[in-house]
Every structure is written in structure tokens, then in C-alpha cells.
Amino acid sequence: MTRTTINELSNHVGQEVQLDGWVYNSRSGGKLGFLMLRDGTGIAQCVLSKSDVGDDAFALFGRLTQESSVTVTGTVSADERAPGGYEIHAQSLSVTQMAEEYPISPKEHGTAFLMDHRHLWLRSRRQHAIMLVRHEIIKACRDFFDSNGFILMDTPIITPNAVEGTTTLFGLNYFDRFVYLTQSGQLYSEAAAAAFRKVYCFGPTFRAEKSKTRRHLTEFWMVEPEMAYCDLEENIHWAEEMVAFMVGRVLESRREQLDILERDTAPLEGLKTPFPRLSYTEAVDVLKQADVDFEWGGDFGGGDETIISEKYDQPLVVHRFPAAIKAFYMKLDADDERLALGMDILAPEGYGEIIGGGQREDDYALLLKRLKEANLPEDKYQWYLDLRRYGSVPHSGFGMGIERAVAWICGLPHVRETIPFPRMLNRVEP
Ligand code: 4AD
Ligand code: MG
């Protein structure tokens, strides 16, 4: 007899197999028992008849509780009506552990309750589907960069440097010094780009976000490519191609999961590059036309982004922001020194910013000036300034927050469901 998993059942039709898993659901109708078995790879229905499994096993079936761990043996048949398309006609049933009363019952639970039970909630069909899409998105990003000549450069999590402003830093005692958890691997990726030309880092990043929104986590994962000899235009091109590749891959490989999530895939299928573009200044005009009280020079909030991108059924590239609201490292626009050569990509359907990036300041004196204006400690950035002392070149890059991308592609209202164990202002457990 073959021990197999539910996702492999199609290869075993007509054969006797062993499945190990957990009780998702069970109901009995007289001499027949119906067991929905969940094994981590899928859910399949096992039908038990008293005459096949015997009195003891049938009595055991009757006592099964939700999420008990069990082993079933039986014959696989193809059945269109069965969930997943296959059914097991059981020959035997045994129990590894009889579960205590499971806190997550099929009835509706509030979000706080489910979040408190995240370690168990992950087993549900919907959370399972989201995590498979997340897995695919991460794999797609890696495949995209790996197949386009980018080298993976892991950047440190412990760092003396602020990247994205000083207000969202998590501080940490490091022996007799004070350091931070990284907000972005970018500065290190810039060093790596001068060594390897095209690189990417992919890791957890941390921001002490004090606001409670649908889009902010305090710990999130970011994929950040960085390219030497690359200007803003080419940077936008890489970002568009990565997004299109990622969405294409999810549509190709994770349709079943998108179905479970009841995601309307039409907007994803309609994606095409190049994406529409709007300068920051044009975007401000859009807000003004929509009667939003917004002054040129301000930063867009989530609501503003929704209004700006509303007219488009594609991701929207917004570029050339006021330098004053952007990080110190952004290169100023030679045509208008008030502007920095930054770019954001706003996902359609109101999901807002998923990508932020731009061209970096490559001039030593200008970078030093910006560093001072931002009140950053010069001595801690000497290594970064070195990159402008020794063979400085135009270079660019961007970062995509994985959780924002997952929320958009899955069609979720909040990022809290996009990561196995979310960290937010009021949540560090479980
Ligand atoms: O726009 P951000 O701050 O850009 C950077 O960090 C650059 N250093 C990246 C680069 O050029 N290499 O962040 C990039 C992306 C955002 O577009 C968003 O998707 C995500 O990171 N992000 C967050 N996701 C979840 N929770 C938060 N608190 C996030 N902050 C940023
Ligand atoms: Mg940003």
C-alpha cells in the first residue's frame, strides 16, 4: 500500500492508499460515515462503511473530534461531485491523537478571536489558500530576478543606519552600543550593486508604525532589487516587468486558491505593461479635481492613493515627488530641483502603494548635503558615502512589500491575513 498525500490522489485512482491528516469535518448517516480529511496538501472526503472498516473503527469514527489527527487507508476513486474530485473508500481508520474541543468551530468568529488563535487559524481553507498564493508570489519574484541575471545579496537585519526616516526605527541594545532593526536593505544593496551590477535582497524589514491601518505591519517582507548603470526610466521598467511576471505566475499556478478566495481574476488577467504613469504634480491635480483638500508638497495617504488610481484598471506608476517628503538618498530631478527621482507603483482596485523606489543620488557632495539636512549622523554613513567616492555611477532600485502584493492579488481587505504571524501596533502574539 502506498502512503500518499491528497494532492497526489490523481496518480492513485483505483489503488489502495494511506493518508495521514487531520479531521476537518465529519458527519455520519446511519451505516456510512463521511470524513473530510485535511492533510496540509488538500482536503478529501473519505467514506467509511461499517461493514468495511468494522465495528470498532466505525465506533471510533463516531467519537472523532474536529482536528484530531488520523490515518485512513482506502481505495481512491475519481468522483466529480467530491470536493477536490477524488474520494476514498475507507478500509481502516486509526487515531494518532484525539483533539480536545477545537476553539475554531465552523461558526463565524470575530477577527480578534481568530488573530489570537492564528496558530490554529492557519489550518483553515481560506488561510491555507492565502499562504499558497504568498508562497507563489515570493517564488515568482525570486525566479524573475534569478532568471534576469540578478544576484541574491542578503543584507543585515541589525544595522546602525536609518534608511526611511528616523521616526519608525526600532532600537536595540547591541552589547554596549545602540543599533536598529533594518527598515530596508537598500543601502547595502547599493554597495552590492557596485560589486555585482544587478542584485536583490529579500528579507524581513521593520518599522515602528504607530498607525493602525489596513496596509501597515511593523514587520514585513520586502524584495529589493538594485541595479548599477540604471536610471529612473529603466528602474520603472524592471518594476513593471516584475509585477506582470508575478501576477502571471499566480494566475497560472494558483487558480484554485484564487477561486477559494472568491477573487475576481478579470482585473489580474487584464494586466499589461507598460503601466500608465502620472507625475506627482499630475496626481495632485487629480486630487484637486476630486475636491480633495490637498496642498502640493504633502504626502499621499491611503485614501488619496485610492482616488488617484481610481480611473485606472492597471497598476499606476507615480513619479517625481517633492524631495522634501522623500528619503535623503533620492536623486534630485535635474529639470526641477524641488523634485526627487522617486517612483511608486499603486496597485489598482484601491490597494494603494505596493512598490517604492527610484534613482539614487550618486554625487558625493549632494548626498552629503542631503544627509546633513536630514540630521543623520555623518559618521555612521561613511561607508555609504564611500560608494560615491569610489566609482560612483547612476543607479536605481525599488522595494516591493510582499504583504501588500499578497493583499492585492488575493483581494483581501487587510494585510493582517497575508503573513503567517502578523506583527502590528497592538499585536506581537502568538
Ligand atoms: O516605499 P518604501 O518605504 O521604500 C523603501 O523602503 C525603499 N528603501 C525601497 C527601495 O528602493 N529599495 O517601502 C517599500 C514598500 C512599500 O511600497 C510597501 O509595499 C512596503 O514596502 N511597506 C510596507 N508594507 C507593510 N507594512 C509597512 N509598514 C510597510 N512600509 C512599507
Ligand atoms: Mg513608499
Side-chain angles (χ1 to χ4, degrees):
M1 183 173 13
T2 325
R3 188 176 178 194
T4 189
T5 48
I6 289 167
N7 59 343
E8 295 286 335
L9 286 179
S10 61
N11 301 322
H12 297 283
V13 174
Q15 296 169 13
E16 202 184 324
V17 298
Q18 175 182 331
L19 290 176
D20 312 298
W22 296 264
V23 176
Y24 198 64
N25 222 325
S26 66
R27 71 191 161 84
S28 119
K31 291 196 168 76
L32 283 183
F34 300 92
L35 165 61
M36 294 298 280
L37 185 73
R38 173 184 81 71
D39 80 342
T41 73
I43 296 177
Q45 176 161 277
C46 306
V47 182
L48 294 87
S49 82
K50 197 173 180 172
S51 56
D52 289 343
V53 298
D55 291 353
D56 290 353
F58 200 75
L60 186 63
F61 167 79
R63 295 196 304 275
L64 283 182
T65 50
Q66 190 185 346
E67 290 300 322
S68 288
S69 38
V70 298
T71 292
V72 175
T73 67
T75 313
V76 183
S77 65
D79 184 343
E80 274 175 21
R81 293 158 307 165
Y86 300 92
E87 202 168 74
I88 310 293
H89 292 268
Q91 259 103 53
S92 76
L93 167 75
S94 62
V95 173
T96 307
Q97 192 250 337
M98 194 67 93
E100 294 176 26
E101 193 182 341
Y102 194 61
I104 306 179
S105 57
K107 73 163 200 244
E108 289 273 312
H109 294 283
T111 308
F113 178 86
L114 291 170
M115 277 306 192
D116 287 342
H117 293 84
R118 184 67 176 165
H119 51 296
L120 302 177
W121 190 24
L122 278 176
R123 303 179 188 191
S124 80
R125 204 156 168 261
R126 183 182 150 84
Q127 299 309 313
H128 192 264
I130 295 170
M131 289 308 133
L132 291 185
V133 175
R134 178 186 169 99
H135 169 84
E136 202 64 48
I137 285 172
I138 292 173
K139 176 93 165 64
C141 292
R142 288 193 181 281
D143 287 348
F144 177 80
F145 290 119
D146 293 349
S147 62
N148 278 290
F150 287 72
I151 306 298
L152 175 69
M153 281 285 134
D154 299 312
T155 53
I157 286 167
I158 296 171
T159 174
N161 299 115
V163 188
E164 300 297 328
T166 50
T167 57
T168 63
L169 285 167
F170 277 118
L172 175 75
N173 288 319
Y174 189 77
F175 305 107
D176 55 353
R177 273 181 294 171
F178 190 70
V179 294
Y180 307 112
L181 293 178
T182 184
Q183 295 168 309
S184 156
Q186 180 196 317
L187 306 189
Y188 297 98
S189 287
E190 288 182 53
F196 296 87
R197 196 153 186 136
K198 287 190 298 196
V199 298
Y200 70 100
C201 63
F202 196 153
T205 47
F206 306 86
R207 303 208 187 162
E209 305 275 3
K210 290 183 194 77
S211 53
K212 279 199 270 181
T213 78
R214 322 186 272 120
R215 300 175 183 178
H216 289 90
L217 295 164
T218 53
E219 179 180 303
F220 61 99
W221 286 68
M222 185 153 55
V223 60
E224 297 180 85
E226 190 73 29
M227 295 75 76
Y229 293 104
C230 176
D231 62 9
L232 179 66
E233 203 46 43
E234 193 185 334
N235 192 36
I236 293 173
H237 177 73
W238 281 114
E240 289 169 331
E241 291 307 317
M242 185 199 75
V243 170
F245 181 86
M246 164 181 90
V247 169
R249 174 69 75 76
V250 173
L251 286 170
E252 184 186 302
S253 310
R254 297 293 171 184
R255 220 164 250 284
E256 190 188 326
Q257 284 68 38
L258 295 177
D259 277 352
I260 291 170
L261 298 168
E262 295 173 359
R263 174 64 159 116
D264 173 10
T265 54
L268 300 177
E269 268 146 39
L271 224 72
K272 51 178 184 296
T273 58
F275 300 149
R277 288 167 198 208
L278 220 53
S279 69
Y280 168 88
T281 304
E282 289 166 333
V284 171
D285 289 340
V286 172
L287 290 178
K288 287 190 170 146
Q289 277 153 28
D291 282 330
V292 180
D293 184 20
F294 190 94
E295 283 289 313
W296 193 100
D299 209 354
F300 301 138
D304 301 323
E305 287 176 353
T306 303
I307 294 167
I308 293 163
S309 57
E310 223 160 42
K311 277 197 306 199
Y312 304 89
D313 57 2
Q314 298 286 326
L316 178 67
V317 180
V318 182
H319 56 89
R320 292 180 171 78
F321 295 85
I325 56 165
K326 286 292 177 185
F328 74 97
Y329 56 70
M330 277 204 193
K331 189 175 177 64
L332 301 183
D333 187 349
D335 297 333
D336 183 345
E337 298 261 300
R338 294 175 309 159
L339 302 178
L341 296 178
M343 66 95 172
D344 280 1
I345 296 190
L346 311 184
E349 302 170 79
Y351 279 91
E353 179 191 337
I354 53 166
I355 285 179
Q359 189 167 341
R360 322 306 190 189
E361 184 53 72
D362 48 74
D363 180 84
Y364 176 84
L366 288 177
L367 183 61
L368 184 60
K369 182 165 167 269
R370 297 266 284 149
L371 197 69
K372 285 179 175 162
E373 283 165 3
N375 284 321
L376 293 167
E378 238 178 277
D379 57 323
K380 296 268 180 5
Y381 291 81
Q382 285 307 317
W383 71 269
Y384 184 63
L385 287 162
D386 268 358
L387 307 175
R388 278 69 176 168
R389 288 190 185 106
Y390 305 110
S392 190
V393 297
H395 65 287
S396 305
F398 62 87
M400 183 182 76
I402 293 298
E403 292 74 20
R404 300 256 183 107
V406 175
W408 164 46
I409 292 176
C410 290
L412 309 177
H414 199 294
V415 289
R416 66 185 161 220
E417 285 180 62
T418 62
I419 182 164
F421 296 97
R423 296 289 173 255
M424 293 172 291
L425 180 59
N426 294 324
R427 181 164 298 278
V428 284
E429 284 119 0

